[in-house]
Amino acid sequence: MGVATVTELKQSVSVSGKKMFRTSLSNRHANEWPPTDVSSDLTVEVGTSSFALHKFPLVSRSGKIRRLVAEAKDTKLARLTLHGTPGGAPAFELAAKFCYGVHVDVTVANVAMLRCAARYLQMTDDFSDKNLELRAEAFLRDAVFPSIASSVAVLRTCEGLLPAAEDVNLVARLIAAIANNVCKEQLASGLLSRLDQSAQLKPQTVGLVELDSPGPGDWWGKSVAGLGLDFFQRLLSAVKSKGLRQETVTRILINYAQNSLHGLMTCRDMSAADKCGGVTDTDALKKQRAVVETIVGLLPAQSKKSPVPMAFLSGLLKTAMALSASNMCKTDLEKRIGMQLDQAILEDILIATGSSCATTSPTPAAAAVQQHQTLYDTDVVARIFAVFLNLDDDNEEDGGGGFDYDSPRSPKQSALVKASKLLDSYLAEIALDSNLVPSKFISLAELLPDHARLVTDGIYRAVDIFIKVHPNIKEADRYRMCKAIDCQRLTPDACSHAAQNERLPVQMAVQVLYFEQIRLRSAIQSGGGGSGGGGSVFGGHDAALFYGCAAAAATAQGGNNNMRSGSGVGSGAMSPRDNYASVRRENRELKLEVSRMRMRLTDLEKDHVSMKRELVRVNPANRLLRSFARSFGRLNTLFRMRPAAEPGLQQLGAKATADAKVLFQRRRRHSIS
């Protein structure tokens, strides 16, 4: 539109004192901007922009400009400075157009800017009817607050309008509107899901309801990922207080973390510190640290059934350690991981040390310390497992109270077995670190109780790797590591490997051979006393111990009902006399085999004694050989010691020893070392 003359402007004064344009003026040259038909008498500077305008149109609608003109000492004021206008020059230009009567489209993108500019310029109904403030409020009420997407979009624009957006209470109203709409949508989604379930029960109505849409937080949760940390925290706290589901809250947090901490995971590698600005940009590190701590504070309540994925918790903990987050933040994450440890995998607890993004150029002393630093932080893992072992099970809601703790089907025992396998895998991984001290390894190996490991092959493998990588450790540490291995729970293959493993202490080999002898003797005795029912049950139990698995026990229990003879014919098809003869024949075969094994063992002992004498003669000061000789002598004495009242058992024990030696000699080619 054009600019009114002075005469026309004077006629626009209403009776009430409010100044407004006549209809004919507001419709004339509506698309003309800036006005050019009348020379400018006021220049307004906003930021780096200048606007050549006229006093009267601005004064008629803006209380602030009216006050500045009235308070000016110079009656011919020709220049105004409004650098504090929210939204800068674009917002003032839209407000000036509105003052001139030019049509202004209020949209989601500019409504917050117009609302704040109207407050700053005092464009209220006190100075003109249907002013800019009323226009912006009507748009917010009708088009923004009822829509989640529009509210989120306007909330994002408010970040650049602070503190003006807070002064008009726009941020708080937007957050409240989003929270209310989200809860309404959640209720509607729950109702529709119930209708969907009922529709599935009625095939004739399936076509009426089709629900394959994402949840309430799946679509708008991604849109709030672009919000600033303060607005995001306030928004999520509001929706949580309204009762938003924990699963939805978790998805929103994951989306926000992926958006805000994108690329930060690579900063855990010291070689990538420069790429993430870890050397110079300390402000960015502080911001990222605040993001991690805020996300941790917004996580759902700690619980064994928490919906937060283990991978997300592990990533947050690794990032928190890389950014040197607060101890409270790291402790909270460690506790959460410990409560859900049965869901973790090896990668979740492999937490590197000495990889902070905030680390500056190290000094020579710091570089020397880093050279002796371990690859993984074992202290964190120890604390996580301590949380897992100290869980308070009194308030469990899983209904596991009807199980015995040591029962294989007990929920507690099942979680403990999973944790033991995880710890054994972790020990095998960190054992490859040449800087890991034995005390750290031993403390981790002794964390779990004895009944946690049904089979000790995993801990044996980890100990073997550690001793192989650290050949110069003390004998006391070597012996203490082996104490964590229960030789009775080693599988036959592991027993065969341990008996021939020269890296293990001699005491370990003695224990392995001793328990193998007991198992073999029990198996032979069960075969000899198999005619009675009690002997059969005892034999089945020992067979389960010998083979190191529950399947052997199940097989032995099945053998109580259908015992097989050496010929493969079922005992139910044989007479008692034939059955007895078959058992006696099997016993004779076993005794002959044990006798042959004993003879072979005697020959091996003789060869060993002759070799030992030759080696000692060459180097009499060889302490290692002397120690091995003494240990082997104890082993020989142990195998030959039997009560005098049981000569039959003494002979049988010698046979079992010979049998075990031959078995280990035959299996040497299967060594895993």
Side-chain angles (χ1 to χ4, degrees):
M1 61 160 287
V3 178
T5 61
V6 177
T7 305
E8 291 174 332
L9 290 176
K10 289 181 179 180
Q11 294 176 355
S12 65
V13 179
S14 63
V15 178
S16 60
K18 297 181 180 180
K19 297 183 179 181
M20 55 187 300
F21 290 111
R22 294 186 306 182
T23 306
S24 59
L25 292 176
S26 62
N27 293 332
R28 189 174 60 183
H29 307 298
N31 296 324
E32 185 180 339
W33 181 264
T36 57
D37 54 352
V38 178
S39 60
S40 171
D41 59 355
L42 180 65
T43 301
V44 181
E45 295 181 355
V46 181
T48 58
S49 302
S50 297
F51 298 91
L53 304 173
H54 306 86
K55 293 181 182 178
F56 194 78
L58 300 178
V59 169
S60 64
R61 288 189 178 271
S62 173
K64 184 178 183 65
I65 296 178
R66 177 184 298 185
R67 179 173 54 82
L68 291 176
V69 171
E71 293 176 354
K73 297 180 180 179
D74 186 4
T75 57
K76 297 183 179 181
L77 178 66
R79 185 174 294 273
L80 281 179
T81 301
L82 298 175
H83 294 310
T85 304
F92 179 80
E93 183 177 2
L94 291 176
K97 287 182 179 181
F98 185 84
C99 292
Y100 276 88
V102 178
H103 178 70
V104 176
D105 288 329
V106 182
T107 63
V108 173
N110 63 19
V111 63
M113 179 173 58
L114 290 176
R115 179 64 184 87
C116 295
R119 171 66 178 268
Y120 176 78
L121 297 174
Q122 299 178 9
M123 299 178 66
T124 63
D125 286 352
D126 295 336
F127 302 96
S128 177
D129 293 335
K130 298 180 181 180
N131 214 337
L132 183 60
E133 183 182 65
L134 182 63
R135 176 85 177 274
E137 284 292 339
F139 185 84
L140 289 170
R141 182 182 64 253
D142 299 335
V144 176
F145 292 148
S147 170
I148 297 178
S150 299
S151 299
V152 172
V154 175
L155 185 62
R156 295 181 64 176
T157 61
C158 289
E159 293 180 344
L161 300 172
L162 295 176
E166 294 284 4
D167 294 339
V168 297
N169 199 28
L170 182 56
V171 176
R173 288 186 292 165
L174 288 170
I175 291 176
I178 294 172
N180 291 331
N181 292 329
V182 165
C183 292
K184 292 178 182 178
E185 187 170 311
Q186 177 176 273
L187 293 175
S189 176
L191 179 60
L192 290 176
S193 63
R194 293 180 183 177
L195 292 176
D196 183 45
Q197 293 176 0
S198 62
Q200 292 177 358
L201 297 177
K202 299 178 180 179
Q204 64 273 15
T205 60
V206 171
L208 299 179
V209 180
E210 295 182 359
L211 291 177
D212 194 17
S213 59
D218 290 336
W219 66 271
W220 69 269
K222 296 180 180 180
S223 63
V224 301
L227 290 175
L229 183 61
D230 180 57
F231 282 5
F232 177 79
Q233 182 179 11
R234 292 170 59 180
L235 175 60
L236 206 60
S237 299
V239 296
K240 286 176 64 178
S241 64
K242 292 288 185 178
L244 189 65
R245 284 192 293 263
Q246 293 186 355
E247 293 81 1
T248 306
V249 173
T250 301
R251 288 196 296 268
I252 296 173
L253 288 173
I254 293 175
N255 289 331
Y256 189 80
Q258 292 175 347
N259 183 75
S260 301
L261 304 175
H262 179 67
L264 184 61
M265 299 302 176
T266 57
C267 294
R268 293 198 299 271
D269 185 5
M270 290 299 294
S271 62
D274 293 338
K275 296 180 181 180
C276 68
V279 177
T280 57
D281 196 356
T282 56
D283 293 338
L285 291 176
K286 291 180 180 179
K287 182 179 180 180
Q288 292 166 345
R289 187 184 303 122
V291 169
V292 173
E293 294 175 354
T294 301
I295 291 176
V296 173
L298 292 172
L299 289 174
Q302 295 179 356
S303 172
K304 294 180 65 175
K305 297 181 179 180
S306 174
V308 185
M310 174 59 66
F312 181 59
L313 292 175
S314 174
L316 282 178
L317 179 58
K318 294 174 183 178
T319 307
M321 296 189 64
L323 294 173
S324 301
S326 64
N327 292 331
M328 182 181 299
C329 173
K330 292 184 287 189
T331 302
D332 184 89
L333 289 171
E334 291 171 5
K335 187 174 181 181
R336 291 177 182 274
I337 294 175
M339 296 179 72
Q340 302 175 229
L341 191 61
D342 56 335
Q343 307 172 17
I345 59 176
L346 179 60
E347 287 74 11
D348 294 332
I349 60 175
L350 287 177
I351 302 173
T353 57
S355 56
S356 173
C357 287
T359 304
T360 57
S361 300
T363 61
V369 172
Q370 290 181 359
Q371 289 181 356
H372 299 283
Q373 198 173 34
T374 57
L375 294 176
Y376 301 106
D377 194 333
T378 57
D379 295 333
V380 174
V381 177
R383 291 193 295 268
I384 290 174
F385 274 88
V387 171
F388 173 77
L389 294 174
N390 295 329
L391 286 179
D392 184 11
D393 298 318
D394 296 336
N395 297 326
E396 279 195 355
E397 299 179 358
D398 54 4
F403 291 90
D404 184 12
Y405 189 88
D406 295 330
S407 173
R409 293 192 298 174
S410 169
K412 303 175 186 177
Q413 181 66 14
S414 177
L416 198 58
V417 170
K418 292 180 181 178
S420 68
K421 294 179 180 178
L422 178 65
L423 181 59
D424 291 346
S425 300
Y426 180 77
L427 289 172
E429 186 69 26
I430 65 174
L432 298 170
D433 185 5
S434 58
N435 293 330
L436 182 64
V437 295
S439 58
K440 294 281 189 181
F441 185 90
I442 293 172
S443 62
L444 286 174
E446 297 176 347
L447 269 178
L448 299 180
D450 295 336
H451 61 270
R453 294 182 175 93
L454 300 180
V455 179
T456 55
D457 287 12
I459 183 66
Y460 167 70
R461 176 174 174 268
V463 170
D464 185 40
I465 294 174
F466 187 90
I467 296 176
K468 188 175 182 179
V469 176
H470 305 78
N472 299 324
I473 62 174
K474 298 179 180 179
E475 190 66 23
D477 294 334
R478 194 188 303 261
Y479 176 72
R480 188 177 174 186
M481 287 181 188
C482 294
K483 284 182 64 178
I485 305 172
D486 188 353
C487 299
Q488 300 184 66
R489 300 181 184 180
L490 288 173
T491 59
D493 290 338
C495 286
S496 176
H497 183 271
Q500 303 173 67
N501 193 344
E502 298 177 355
R503 294 184 292 270
L504 298 180
V506 179
Q507 296 89 334
M508 177 72 179
V510 171
Q511 283 185 333
V512 172
L513 292 175
Y514 174 71
F515 287 117
E516 279 298 302
Q517 182 193 21
I518 292 178
R519 292 172 183 173
L520 184 60
R521 184 183 64 181
S522 301
I524 295 174
Q525 287 180 347
S526 64
S531 58
S536 177
V537 175
F538 179 75
H541 174 69
D542 289 334
L545 288 178
F546 180 74
Y547 290 106
C549 60
T555 304
Q557 292 178 0
N560 294 338
N561 300 326
N562 187 15
M563 181 180 294
R564 300 285 182 178
S565 64
S567 60
V569 181
S571 62
M574 300 171 60
S575 64
R577 180 177 299 178
D578 294 338
N579 192 10
Y580 180 70
S582 175
V583 171
R584 292 188 60 184
R585 183 169 58 254
E586 291 179 0
N587 287 340
R588 285 195 300 269
E589 293 175 357
L590 287 172
K591 290 179 181 179
L592 289 174
E593 182 66 23
V594 171
S595 298
R596 286 193 293 268
M597 294 171 62
R598 182 180 60 179
M599 295 175 62
R600 294 172 185 171
L601 179 60
T602 303
D603 295 340
L604 290 173
E605 289 177 350
K606 291 179 181 179
D607 294 340
H608 173 73
V609 170
S610 61
M611 292 173 60
K612 179 183 66 175
R613 290 175 180 174
E614 292 294 334
L615 292 174
V616 171
R617 188 180 295 111
V618 174
N619 187 9
N622 195 330
R623 296 183 180 179
L624 179 61
L625 291 177
R626 289 182 180 179
S627 176
F628 185 80
R630 287 196 300 269
S631 302
F632 193 88
R634 295 174 187 172
L635 173 63
N636 196 17
T637 304
L638 177 63
F639 287 163
R640 296 178 183 276
M641 288 178 60
R642 291 295 178 272
E646 299 178 0
L649 292 179
Q650 181 178 0
Q651 184 178 6
L652 188 60
K655 296 177 182 179
T657 304
D659 195 0
K661 282 290 184 178
V662 173
L663 285 175
F664 297 147
Q665 187 68 22
R666 291 175 179 175
R667 290 174 179 168
R668 183 175 185 86
R669 64 178 180 273
H670 300 294
S671 173
I672 63 176
S673 60

